[in-house]
Amino acid sequence: MTEPMPAILTPPPVHLGAFLPALDSLFSTQGVMVMLLVAYAGAMWMFLSSAPKVHTIMVSDLNVAREFYEGLLNLAVADVPLHYYYNYEQSMGAASLDPIYGMSSLPTTATAPPTQSEGLWYQLKKNTQLHIISGAQYGTKNRQRHVCFDRDCLENILLRVQSRRLRFKLRSRRPLNFLVKDMAERVIELAEVAD
């Protein structure tokens, strides 16, 4: 008589989820969606934090402005930053400025993406660009007006004027307002609009 063989006991199968219970919920549909949202938020933060700061100045004449910023101030022409495509500026409310601030009515092209011909782009500092658009009214005696809501922008331009040893006249410190003559002896008024 042969002895029966002892039964071999096999351990129950071990699942990876037993060691890492959170891993199971991480790879669920909801977990994958959360991971995708976190990755998207990280990518948007990196994109927006690397985007240059943009100052906008409204001028009465784009051709005169081009001569002033390129010729007299010697600013380098810049590419339009990616975050300004698809009507970024119009969505921020620039198209609905109040005419009381001395600007004529702006074009209402909220459905078409802005093109290079709608403004001028210059590199003001390393990660700062200057966007020149039309829309300001002429000043007294048909003086060219360059109007800006950002004091920091005008201070940078004033520093550029001073470093190029151009003659200027400071009219007011608060709000900042100064006059400069361009190469054609036209008077350009750069004015901060306090909102």
Side-chain angles (χ1 to χ4, degrees), residues 25 44 54 117 122 154 168 191:
S25 64
M44 285 302 292
V54 176
S117 63
Y122 298 105
L154 288 180
F168 69 96

Side-chain angles (χ1 to χ4, degrees), residues 24-134:
D24 193 32
S25 64
L26 184 66
F27 288 113
S28 69
T29 305
Q30 293 162 336
V32 170
M33 290 301 293
V34 167
M35 286 191 305
L36 287 173
L37 285 172
V38 168
Y40 178 74
M44 285 302 292
W45 178 82
M46 287 178 58
F47 169 71
L48 292 175
S49 64
S50 68
K53 181 175 183 177
V54 176
H55 297 295
T56 302
I57 292 183
M58 297 182 111
V59 299
S60 21
D61 188 325
L62 279 176
N63 292 326
V64 171
R66 178 180 285 118
E67 292 172 12
F68 179 69
Y69 292 101
E70 285 179 35
L72 208 54
L73 295 185
N74 201 25
L75 292 176
V77 175
D79 292 328
V80 178
L82 286 176
H83 68 285
Y84 262 75
Y85 284 114
Y86 308 113
N87 288 335
Y88 172 80
E89 190 169 70
Q90 283 79 11
S91 69
M92 296 302 287
S96 63
L97 293 174
D98 194 337
I100 197 164
Y101 292 118
M103 290 140 234
S104 62
S105 62
L106 296 173
T108 55
T109 57
T111 56
T115 62
Q116 188 69 15
S117 63
E118 290 184 26
L120 307 170
W121 292 87
Y122 298 105
Q123 199 68 37
L124 190 59
K125 292 193 305 188
K126 181 177 179 176
N127 202 23
T128 306
Q129 290 185 348
L130 187 60
H131 184 200
I132 310 293
I133 59 175
S134 62

